[in-house]
């Protein structure tokens, strides 16, 4: 079962279910052995463990973070950790290695309204708060 390693831990660890090799400059989905029923109105956020870069240089979560919806919990909905290998060599992760971490986040759903025009000032684009 997932576990928090310390009393103050904000996240629990995901382990690899089997030994797996991520090909050089390739990606693969690593089975975690977990199907988790996330509480309603929450999402399960998956991020890299801080030790991933130290233990496996060049290995990253392929999508930056993973987001598991509360209704992704069927009998065959094992959580898979999408990993990308930026190196020129294959990287093998042994069964039982901790590669990612998960935490629950309360989700607020937005309400949408289509408008013809925005009535706010422009901020001048991407990275605009750093411009002078």
């Amino acid at each position: 079962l997932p576990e928090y390693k310390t009393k103050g831990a904000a996240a629990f660890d995901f382990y690899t279910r089997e030994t797996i090799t991520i090909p050089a400059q390739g990606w693969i989905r690593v089975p975690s052995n977990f199907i988790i029923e996330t509480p309603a109105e929450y999402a399960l956020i998956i991020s890299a463990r801080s030790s991933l870069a130290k233990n496996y240089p060049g290995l990253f979560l392929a999508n930056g973070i993973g987001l598991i919806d509360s209704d992704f919990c069927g009998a065959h909905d094992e959580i898979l950790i999408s990993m990308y290998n930026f190196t020129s060599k294959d990287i093998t992760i042994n069964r039982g290695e901790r590669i990612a971490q998960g935490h629950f986040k309360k989700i607020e759903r937005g309400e949408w309204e289509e408008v013809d025009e925005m009535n706010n000032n422009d901020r001048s684009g991407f990275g605009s708060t750093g411009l002078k």
Side-chain angles (χ1 to χ4, degrees), residues 40-102:
E41 299 181 12
Y42 283 79
L44 173 57
I45 308 297
I46 299 172
S47 58
R49 292 187 75 239
S50 58
S51 63
L52 183 67
K54 176 184 68 130
N55 295 336
Y56 299 100
L59 194 60
F60 296 90
L61 291 183
N63 51 345
I65 64 163
L67 184 126
I68 307 298
D69 298 317
S70 64
D71 58 357
F72 185 78
C73 56
H76 302 287
D77 289 337
E78 177 181 6
I79 295 172
L80 304 173
I81 312 297
S82 184
M83 305 294 289
Y84 185 79
N85 176 358
F86 281 93
T87 73
S88 58
K89 296 180 181 178
D90 294 351
I91 296 176
T92 298
I93 302 173
N94 293 317
R95 180 180 189 267
E97 290 288 321
R98 297 180 294 163
I99 58 168
Q101 58 188 345

